[in-house]
Amino acid sequence: QQQVKQSPQSLIVQKGGISIINCAYENTAFDYFPWYQQFPGKGPALLIAIRPDVSEKKEGRFTISFNKSAKQFSLHIMDSQPGDSATYFCAASFQKLVFGTGTRLLVSP
Amino acid sequence: GAGVSQSPRYKVAKRGQDVALRCDPISGHVSLFWYQQALGQGPEFLTYFQNEAQLDKSGLPSDRFFAERPEGSVSTLKIQRTQQEDSAVYLCASSFRQGAGELFFGEGSRLTVL
């Protein structure tokens, strides 16, 4: 049973463009929604996170949009750079963190 | 060190061997999690410790998997009689809060079972 569904599976964006990754969840008990970035051979690293009482959170070029009624949230990466090329995971937490299946992002120069 | 440290980074085992994977969390972090990440997949929850207490082991795939954190610091994940389907990266994460808030992950231990 996949509690957090993530799309797309892979994404190619031109340098300077906007990368958008979407996630949907089922469990309304989730109360924390982080995004993790993972480079090959490394562990996931927290990028940005949001709680359900907020509809948007922005940190630098990264923005989370959260729609509680639709049980959906998304990550927007503005002015995407080649160094952003990595796998991105959305996640949701109540007592433990449940991850999405990941999006492999490639930012072309 | 300042981060979560895992060892060994790479382990090759013959099917049927026992393996032990070690995790050194960030000093003072009360929560410790183990995750399993198959190739091309997201991390899957295995087990959770709050200090030395194992509060959730619902993700352990079988009774061949065992985890401990006897003094509330270092944790060991043990896999007995390894099978090929156990091949994966095993990630450890810690948090200074109770439960799963901001998790800090180690680089993982890659297990290959031949």
Side-chain angles (χ1 to χ4, degrees), chain A residues 9 32 34 36 38 41-46 51 89 93-102 104, chain B residues 9 33 35 37 40-43 45 48 56 58 91 97 99-108:
Chain A
Q9 194 171 17
Y32 177 71
Y36 280 81
Q38 186 175 31
K42 303 294 185 183
L46 179 67
R51 298 218 177 253
F89 293 97
S93 172
F94 173 47
Q95 293 170 330
K96 60 192 176 193
L97 210 52
V98 178
F99 284 84
T101 50
R104 185 172 293 185
Chain B
R9 288 293 318 279
F33 295 79
Y35 282 81
Q37 186 174 25
Q41 299 297 314
F45 171 81
Y48 161 56
D56 188 344
S58 62
L91 294 165
R97 298 181 191 274
E102 179 177 358
L103 295 190
F104 294 84
F105 281 84
E107 295 194 325

Side-chain angles (χ1 to χ4, degrees), chain B:
Chain B
V4 177
S5 178
Q6 291 189 245
S7 61
R9 288 293 318 279
Y10 304 93
K11 176 69 179 178
V12 178
K14 292 183 179 179
R15 191 175 58 177
Q17 283 185 329
D18 297 349
V19 300
L21 308 176
R22 176 188 169 104
C23 173
D24 275 283
I26 295 171
S27 178
H29 278 198
V30 300
S31 295
L32 186 145
F33 295 79
W34 283 98
Y35 282 81
Q36 181 190 59
Q37 186 174 25
L39 190 64
Q41 299 297 314
E44 295 277 349
F45 171 81
L46 293 177
T47 187
Y48 161 56
F49 290 86
Q50 183 176 308
N51 297 307
E52 68 278 5
Q54 189 175 21
L55 298 186
D56 188 344
K57 54 182 181 179
S58 62
L60 295 176
S62 75
D63 58 8
R64 296 186 295 104
F65 287 71
F66 172 77
E68 60 182 6
R69 193 186 185 198
E71 297 179 355
S73 176
V74 170
S75 177
T76 304
L77 177 66
K78 297 179 180 178
I79 308 172
Q80 297 177 325
R81 304 181 303 281
T82 52
Q83 304 294 314
Q84 285 189 320
E85 62 263 28
D86 300 335
S87 295
V89 175
Y90 291 86
L91 294 165
C92 177
S94 69
S95 171
F96 65 92
R97 298 181 191 274
Q98 294 180 11
E102 179 177 358
L103 295 190
F104 294 84
F105 281 84
E107 295 194 325
S109 292
R110 179 178 295 277
L111 172 64
T112 302
V113 182
L114 303 177

